[in-house]
Amino acid sequence: MNLHEYQAKALLAEYGIPVPSGRPAFSVDEALEAADELGGDTWVVKAQIHAGGRGKAGGVKKVVGREALERAAAGLLGTRLVTDQTGPAGQPVKRLLVELPSVVLNELYLACLVDRALERIVFIASSAGGMDIETIAAKHPEKILRAVADPVAGLQAYQCREIGFALGLKDKQIAAISRLMLSLYHLFCARDLSLVEINPLAVISDGELIALDAKIQVDDNALFRQKSLEELHDASQDDPKEHKAHEIGLSYVALDGNIGCMVNGAGLAMATMDLIKLHGGAPANFLDVGGGTTADKVAEAFKLILSDTNVKAILVNIFGGIVRCDLIAEGIIKAVKEVGITIPVVVRLEGTNVDKGRALLKGSGLKITAADSLTNAAKLVVASAK
């Protein structure tokens, strides 16, 4: 689960990490009120969306005077901001962050994340702040610094000092980055985060360090014990289909193809999409209905797939292990009748009672094609979609 920048900064501040003075705003009037509270006559107005690259896309504006602030807020709110990370549809701008500007002497990069290969929490730092970390890693790999936290002892102060010296910091800045990194590690563990990215971590005019921008991701699996963070979720930033899937307990990711996929098991779903691509098709989604799927869940899955108007055919690939194939077939037939599907549906069943399941599909009288192998199913559904 992603947090907006203003939410991330509030969380950082809660753990003693310096951030600029700022206020969130949900309307033009609130933006003006935020400016009054902050004082001064110059502010930075930032569109709040769950994507990076806002500055390049015009989502971050420095303004002087209330009239300029009003124009900037009105020009951002209610629009869809398209960045390199949003795709062509963009993300809706319904919230703003109004901040006081900072005089920046130097920009650094700092992130804390889970390295799945190492099975450790890792800090990544770079002297090339303000840039995409992928660009830095590709063009200047020598500028990528790492510190791996011990799972028992945790992050150590000497590791923080080493990072500080490698970044070119001096004197009190070494102590400052040590405090910041140790606080960040405590935040990361205490609030079940999966990513904290501060880009840039700025050295400002008085030599202090401040988180000029911040991105935080929370581990979805831990939200049951992080209720205060769960309440911060902004559903307007989600794909509507993905949001609906989450509500009904399905794992769904929207893609840009025209073949709807319904599979039980994430690995099988990935293999199914690979085969569709191999035979010249394009999957419209990743959809895992789970091992113990039911007729009701299958019906909901069909409705979800059909909500995508690009879908021209559907491939159902179910391995009957926990649930028998004949029961799955009955569920598919019931769901197809209930939803009223008019596009081709190709079904591949394998597992317990597979012959009974295929017989039920064949005798249903519906527009369902039973395939005897995954390869055959992929070829059939690609041909149907064309």
Side-chain angles (χ1 to χ4, degrees):
M1 187 190 85
N2 291 312
L3 299 184
H4 284 297
E5 178 190 356
Y6 76 91
Q7 297 167 331
K9 285 181 172 175
L11 200 55
L12 293 178
E14 184 181 329
Y15 283 77
I17 297 169
V19 298
S21 297
R23 301 286 187 277
F26 294 76
S27 66
V28 174
D29 288 341
E30 287 187 11
L32 294 172
E33 290 173 8
D36 291 338
E37 291 178 17
L38 293 169
D41 64 350
T42 304
W43 306 277
V44 180
V45 184
K46 298 183 174 184
Q48 298 297 282
I49 62 171
H50 289 168
R54 293 170 299 161
K56 297 176 184 177
V60 178
K61 302 178 183 293
K62 185 177 180 180
V63 297
V64 179
R66 286 174 58 85
E67 290 185 3
L69 172 63
E70 186 174 3
R71 287 195 300 271
L76 288 172
L77 285 168
T79 64
R80 295 187 73 90
L81 190 63
V82 180
T83 78
D84 293 339
Q85 297 183 16
T86 63
Q91 291 276 46
V93 180
K94 297 188 175 183
R95 312 178 188 197
L96 301 174
L97 174 60
V98 181
E99 281 187 342
L100 289 176
S102 302
V103 179
V104 178
L105 301 179
N106 190 20
E107 293 186 346
L108 309 172
Y109 176 94
L110 182 66
C112 181
L113 56 112
V114 177
D115 187 312
R116 299 185 182 278
L118 294 177
E119 299 181 351
R120 299 287 188 273
I121 295 173
V122 176
F123 278 80
I124 297 176
S126 176
S127 58
M131 295 176 60
D132 295 331
I133 193 65
E134 296 84 1
T135 302
I136 301 169
K139 295 184 177 180
H140 305 284
E142 73 282 356
K143 292 186 178 182
I144 302 295
L145 309 172
R146 288 157 50 94
V148 180
D150 185 275
V152 176
L155 183 71
Q156 299 297 297
Y158 79 87
Q159 295 176 293
C160 304
R161 291 193 294 271
E162 287 178 347
I163 290 289
F165 287 123
L167 290 174
L169 301 178
K170 299 177 181 179
D171 304 325
K172 65 178 183 179
Q173 294 171 349
I174 298 296
I177 197 168
S178 296
R179 289 193 302 270
L180 191 151
M181 289 177 66
L182 290 169
S183 296
L184 196 57
Y185 180 74
H186 178 50
L187 162 64
F188 194 91
C189 297
R191 306 309 288 269
D192 290 306
L193 307 183
S194 57
L195 171 70
V196 181
E197 184 179 57
I198 301 175
N199 187 25
L201 173 65
V203 181
I204 56 176
S205 56
D206 59 1
E208 295 296 325
L209 303 179
I210 189 169
L212 214 57
D213 196 357
K215 176 181 180 179
I216 287 181
Q217 290 179 348
V218 187
D219 186 346
D220 290 355
N221 297 304
L223 287 176
F224 71 95
R225 62 187 179 204
Q226 299 290 349
K227 294 299 182 183
S228 62
L229 295 183
E230 186 176 25
E231 291 171 359
L232 299 178
H233 179 231
D234 180 7
S236 73
Q237 298 295 304
D238 297 339
D239 181 282
K241 297 184 289 296
E242 292 180 14
H243 182 66
K244 176 64 176 177
H246 180 73
E247 289 183 336
I248 59 181
L250 296 172
S251 297
Y252 178 94
V253 178
L255 301 172
D256 55 6
N258 64 353
I259 296 174
C261 303
M262 185 194 308
V263 191
N264 65 333
L268 189 59
M270 296 296 288
T272 301
M273 294 191 295
D274 284 345
L275 272 175
I276 289 172
K277 289 289 289 184
L278 179 65
H279 293 290
N285 61 270
F286 167 97
L287 176 55
D288 175 13
V289 295
T293 188
T294 63
D296 291 338
K297 187 172 281 191
V298 169
E300 291 297 331
F302 271 122
K303 292 175 185 176
L304 197 60
I305 291 172
L306 291 173
S307 66
D308 183 349
T309 55
N310 292 325
V311 172
K312 304 302 180 187
I314 299 174
L315 173 56
V316 181
N317 184 18
I318 302 290
F319 181 80
I322 299 173
V323 183
R324 301 195 317 265
C325 287
D326 55 329
L327 295 180
I328 293 170
E330 289 173 0
I332 292 170
I333 292 167
K334 178 182 177 183
V336 170
K337 289 179 178 178
E338 179 184 334
V339 178
I341 296 173
T342 57
I343 61 176
V345 177
V346 177
V347 178
R348 180 258 184 173
L349 295 178
E350 198 60 70
T352 308
N353 288 356
V354 63
D355 292 333
K356 289 183 180 180
R358 290 173 182 169
L360 286 169
L361 293 174
K362 188 176 181 179
S364 67
L366 299 172
K367 197 174 182 179
I368 300 174
T369 302
D372 56 5
S373 71
L374 181 50
T375 297
N376 187 33
K379 291 179 178 179
L380 286 170
V381 78
V382 169
S384 298
K386 291 179 179 179

